[in-house]
């Protein structure tokens, strides 16, 4: 009980009801163990908490009221009150310390708390084969223990990550969302199998998990997912390739700049910006010049990610005859917050009243870009 004592007690308290086959009988046993009168126990078990208002208060009273509230909730709708449950274990232990004569009675009624986190982790691992509510509760608890550094919880989570077909997909993706807590080289074969199973509903998460852990053998499989029929999968593949910063994926990402889904196009552009280099930049310049999609601010943002080397070319673009390109140049220049950009933005903000395809003014775009630049510069100066 020395390591993670508060977490052990909190989780144990939550389990006290969940472990009982007959929860109302269990609640009654706890009430009796506090030393209350039979009349008080009867009133509590019948849900008449108002009848207890004038009862004497002592160290046992808070635990009694807590369990009585749980019993009332159970009798009313059969639902477990998690807030009440998490208080029962610590209260019972404290009461047993203050009132030694009650310690034995409470121990019988409540069961003894686990002596170490491993006891709880074992229980939660077993609950992964229970009903859906139990499975989701178990995976959340295992992730909590993994975050606390418990090796057994991390081992259980690794087993989950390696076996996508036998796991509830929600449980599996919850684990993969926190892969950095427990993932290592041992999960690579399982994640690669999941990544190759393109019909699985969790394939997007397997791509992101492989990227999070830097499994470069996954790159060809992830690149192939850029052609997946589900736009969420295509978007996830773009994001994963961005984490790898993989230049070999540039041709496939280029095709996604013309994806039918706008947020896939946006993620592909962002990924090209993350990859960087002359090839990726050339692709973004070309896409912006072709203006294949009216809402192309994501292209400006991706080009701005290349920083000072693109500023002069963006300033030149502010003189282009096309107002759409001038507005995009403004957006990109604002994101760079470069000194060289400010005069061009100020000029457009004051004088360029041309309308873009979407109906906005270039001057408005320039003003927004100036605000962005000043905000970035102020934030940089304060750090």
């Amino acid at each position: 009980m020395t390591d993670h004592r508060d977490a052990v007690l909190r989780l144990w308290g939550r389990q006290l009801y969940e472990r009982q086959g007959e929860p109302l009988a269990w609640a009654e046993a706890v009430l009796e163990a506090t030393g209350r009168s039979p009349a008080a126990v009867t009133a509590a078990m019948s849900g008449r908490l108002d009848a207890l208002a004038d009862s004497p208060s002592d160290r046992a009273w808070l635990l009694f009221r807590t369990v009585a509230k749980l019993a009332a909730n159970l009798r009313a709708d059969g639902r477990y009150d998690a807030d009440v449950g998490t208080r029962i274990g610590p209260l019972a232990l404290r009461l047993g310390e203050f009132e030694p004569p009650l310690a034995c009675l409470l121990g019988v009624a409540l069961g003894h708390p686990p002596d170490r986190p491993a006891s709880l982790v074992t229980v939660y691992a077993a609950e992964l084969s229970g009903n859906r509510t139990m499975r989701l509760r178990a995976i959340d608890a295992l992730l909590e223990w993994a975050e606390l550094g418990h090796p057994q919880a991390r081992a259980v989570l690794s087993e989950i990550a390696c076996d996508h077909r036998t796991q509830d997909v929600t449980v599996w993706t919850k684990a993969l969302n926190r892969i950095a807590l427990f993932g290592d080289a041992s999960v690579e074969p399982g994640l690669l199998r999941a990544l190759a199973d393109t019909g699985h509903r969790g394939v997007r998460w397997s791509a992101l998990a492989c990227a999070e852990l830097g499994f470069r053998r996954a790159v060809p499989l992830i690149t192939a997912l850029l052609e997946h029929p589900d736009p969420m999968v295509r978007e996830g593949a773009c994001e994963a390739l961005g984490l790898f910063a993989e230049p070999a994926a540039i041709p496939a990402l280029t095709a996604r700049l013309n994806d039918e889904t706008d947020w896939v196009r946006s993620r592909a552009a962002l990924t090209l910006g993350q990859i960087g280099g002359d090839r990726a930049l050339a692709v973004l310049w070309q896409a912006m010049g072709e203006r294949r999609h009216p809402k192309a601010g994501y292209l400006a943002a991706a080009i701005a990610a290349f920083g000072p080397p693109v500023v002069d070319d963006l300033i030149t673009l502010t003189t282009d005859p096309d107002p759409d390109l001038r507005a995009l140049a403004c957006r990109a220049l604002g994101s760079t917050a470069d000194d060289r950009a400010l005069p061009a933005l100020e000029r457009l903000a004051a004088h360029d009243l041309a309308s873009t395809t979407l109906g906005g003014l270039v001057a408005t775009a320039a003003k927004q870009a100036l605000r962005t630049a000043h905000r970035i510069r102020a934030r940089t100066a304060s750090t």
Side-chain angles (χ1 to χ4, degrees):
M1 292 295 293
T2 55
D3 294 333
H4 310 309
R5 183 178 188 276
D6 291 342
V8 170
L9 292 181
R10 191 168 60 250
L11 290 175
W12 174 56
R14 192 169 70 191
Q15 291 176 48
L16 287 176
Y17 159 68
E18 296 162 358
R19 299 289 177 268
Q20 307 306 313
E22 298 179 2
L24 287 172
W26 167 80
E28 185 172 9
V30 177
L31 294 174
E32 291 172 347
T34 63
R36 304 297 88 184
S37 69
V41 173
T42 300
M45 290 304 298
S46 63
R48 293 185 290 110
L49 300 186
D50 56 328
L52 309 176
D54 298 328
S55 301
S57 177
D58 58 19
R59 290 191 176 104
W61 185 241
L62 181 57
L63 176 62
F64 184 87
R65 291 281 298 187
T66 299
V67 178
K69 179 182 175 184
L70 174 59
N73 289 349
L74 289 170
R75 193 175 290 282
D77 57 18
R79 293 185 178 179
Y80 168 60
D81 188 322
D83 177 63
V84 171
T86 54
R87 294 163 56 195
I88 293 171
L91 283 171
L93 288 184
R94 196 171 304 122
L95 178 58
E97 292 169 357
F98 286 135
E99 303 286 346
L102 296 179
C104 182
L105 294 172
L106 287 168
V108 172
L110 291 165
H112 295 288
D115 58 355
R116 57 190 182 279
S119 303
L120 288 175
V121 172
T122 300
V123 169
Y124 283 123
E127 286 186 343
L128 290 171
S129 60
N131 61 41
R132 183 172 175 79
T133 299
M134 292 175 66
R135 293 196 301 270
L136 294 179
R137 182 176 63 232
I139 192 65
D140 287 339
L142 287 167
L143 288 166
E144 180 178 345
W145 282 113
E147 192 166 15
L148 291 169
H150 196 275
Q152 186 183 355
R154 290 177 172 175
V156 172
L157 291 166
S158 293
E159 291 178 9
I160 293 170
C162 289
D163 194 8
H164 73 289
R165 272 299 178 186
T166 63
Q167 298 294 334
D168 178 320
V169 68
T170 304
V171 168
W172 189 72
T173 54
K174 271 178 171 278
L176 263 59
N177 276 337
R178 306 291 301 281
I179 193 74
L181 288 177
F182 60 88
D184 55 26
S186 68
V187 302
E188 183 175 7
L191 288 181
L192 290 175
R193 286 193 299 273
L195 189 55
D197 189 357
T198 57
H200 187 255
R201 287 194 295 132
V203 69
R204 178 184 191 274
W205 285 268
S206 58
L208 291 168
C210 285
E212 181 79 18
L213 297 177
F215 296 154
R216 300 202 72 84
R217 286 199 297 162
V219 170
L221 291 170
I222 296 173
T223 303
L225 291 180
L226 292 173
E227 302 293 336
H228 197 279
D230 186 343
M232 284 191 64
V233 175
R234 298 197 300 274
E235 188 268 347
C238 290
E239 183 178 350
L241 291 168
L243 293 174
F244 280 116
E246 178 52 62
I250 289 176
L253 289 165
T254 300
R256 294 278 65 80
L257 292 178
N258 203 33
D259 195 277
E260 62 187 21
T261 305
D262 56 356
W263 36 273
V264 176
R265 297 194 298 269
S266 178
R267 176 61 71 173
L270 176 61
T271 297
L272 287 166
Q274 290 174 295
I275 292 172
D278 292 342
R279 289 173 60 204
L281 180 58
V283 166
L284 293 168
W285 276 121
Q286 181 178 349
M288 194 161 75
E290 291 174 355
R291 292 178 293 124
R292 286 172 266 175
H293 304 282
K295 295 182 178 180
Y298 54 85
L299 292 171
I303 289 172
F306 286 79
V310 300
V311 170
D312 288 337
D313 288 334
L314 287 169
I315 291 173
T316 300
L317 195 61
T318 64
T319 62
D320 192 276
D322 188 333
D324 286 347
L325 290 179
R326 297 201 300 276
L328 287 172
C330 289
R331 178 164 181 168
L333 286 169
S335 296
T336 67
D338 193 287
D339 289 342
R340 292 169 291 169
L342 300 183
L345 292 174
E346 289 166 353
R347 171 177 56 80
L348 294 175
H351 303 295
D352 197 333
L353 301 181
S355 295
T356 67
T357 301
L358 295 175
L361 299 180
V362 176
T364 301
K367 291 173 184 176
Q368 292 172 340
L370 282 169
R371 286 195 290 271
T372 299
H374 290 314
R375 186 166 57 249
I376 293 172
R377 291 161 69 85
R379 187 166 60 243
T380 302
S382 66
T383 58

